Amino acid sequence: MFAPEEVDRYARHLVLRELGGPGQQRLKAARVLLVGAGGLGCAAAPLLAAAGVGVVGLIDPDVVSLSNLQRQTLYRTEDVGRLKVDCARERLGEINPHVQVEAYPAALTPETADAIVAGYDLVLDGTDDFAARFAVNAAAYGAGVAVVSGAIERWTGQVGVFAAGLTRHLTPGERQPCYRCLTPELPPDAETCARVGVIGALAGVIGAMMALEAVKLIAGVGEPLVGRLLIYDALAAVTRTVRVSADPACPVCGDGGRRP
Ligand SMILES: [Zn+2]
């Protein structure tokens, strides 16, 4: 049940026909892990906290730098030099004291990922390198949870839901793809935002879409971007959505791949 303060706080959710009290209860019971407290994490985390997600896990090894502030809007100039997860935990607590924040000042590695991801119902991947995304993907698949994945570079962003972990017990034809079905190997020409740049507001757009997809998945409403990838060309102001299929040869979820 909700306290009177929560009924008031979540009033705009409670009147939504698709969400209502049952959906808000599911949000309150949910444990969501956000990997990366950079541009995408800074946009998604306050929306998850404001929405009333019960537990928000945050993992990021970095401290705030001055060049982060152009897009990482949870942080202030005076935060430069402080751990991002410490700053973020304070801000989220100010937004919604009902939310429990679990902060990990560390990188998610293949060695640590399984133990951390296993404690959550859903993972949001806002990291900016492929090795970290691969670690998140493999751990989520092993834990049987879905990944909401976001990425931004220059003027283009993408968001998708990789639900292979949720469908791993189904027959091959019924399984959803994982991130490695889309990107089997480390791209040799992978670029970083530090080198090629990124427009700041794009982090807000894609991070907010990640939070919205997470709310849909938790509440069980609408049609999440499962097996689909939405690509946003911000310069042209055009979006397109492409299908992603499960790959039988995938190194993680394929027939010869990792099996929990
Ligand atoms: Zn796969």
Side-chain angles (χ1 to χ4, degrees):
M1 289 300 293
F2 292 112
E5 193 270 351
E6 291 172 288
V7 173
D8 198 11
R9 176 183 289 270
Y10 304 126
R12 301 299 182 276
H13 273 173
L14 295 173
V15 297
L16 276 179
R17 191 181 41 174
E18 296 81 5
L19 204 66
Q24 194 63 47
Q25 286 287 2
R26 289 190 198 107
L27 290 172
K28 186 174 182 175
R31 298 175 53 85
V32 177
L33 178 66
L34 189 45
V35 185
L40 297 170
C42 276
L47 293 170
L48 293 174
V53 169
V55 178
V56 176
L58 280 173
I59 177 163
D60 194 302
D62 292 340
V63 297
V64 178
S65 68
L66 198 55
S67 66
N68 295 149
L69 300 180
Q70 158 258 18
R71 66 200 176 285
Q72 299 183 18
T73 51
L74 264 187
Y75 311 126
R76 305 165 180 162
T77 304
E78 67 200 43
D79 292 328
V80 169
R82 294 185 64 207
L83 275 169
K84 288 182 176 180
V85 292
D86 285 347
C87 301
R89 175 166 47 192
E90 290 174 11
R91 301 289 128 71
L92 299 186
E94 289 163 5
I95 290 168
N96 190 346
H98 299 287
V99 175
Q100 183 186 335
V101 179
E102 298 176 346
Y104 306 86
L108 195 83
T109 66
E111 291 73 35
T112 62
D114 285 351
I116 292 173
V117 169
Y120 293 90
D121 308 315
L122 178 66
V123 178
L124 272 65
D125 183 359
T127 60
D128 62 356
D129 73 272
F130 285 96
R133 287 180 197 146
F134 284 8
V136 172
N137 179 66
Y141 181 72
V145 300
V147 179
V148 181
S149 173
I152 52 174
E153 186 181 280
R154 295 190 178 95
W155 298 84
T156 303
Q158 65 182 46
V159 57
V161 177
F162 296 92
L166 297 178
T167 61
R168 60 185 184 173
H169 302 300
L170 301 179
T171 60
E174 296 172 317
R175 289 186 205 142
Q176 291 294 336
C178 80
Y179 184 77
R180 290 294 289 279
C181 295
L182 175 69
T183 310
E185 303 301 331
L186 289 171
D189 55 350
E191 296 181 306
T192 65
C193 287
R195 200 159 69 80
V196 302
V198 62
I199 186 71
L202 185 60
V205 172
I206 300 298
M209 293 187 81
M210 292 169 69
L212 185 44
E213 289 300 310
V215 167
K216 285 162 60 184
L217 287 162
I218 294 164
V221 302
E223 295 180 28
L225 283 166
V226 172
R228 294 184 293 154
L229 190 68
L230 185 149
I231 300 160
Y232 175 46
D233 177 343
L235 268 186
V238 169
T239 60
R240 64 193 171 95
T241 306
V242 297
R243 289 230 154 261
V244 182
S245 299
D247 180 1
C250 173
V252 173
C253 74
D255 296 333
R258 169 178 170 152
R259 284 280 176 267

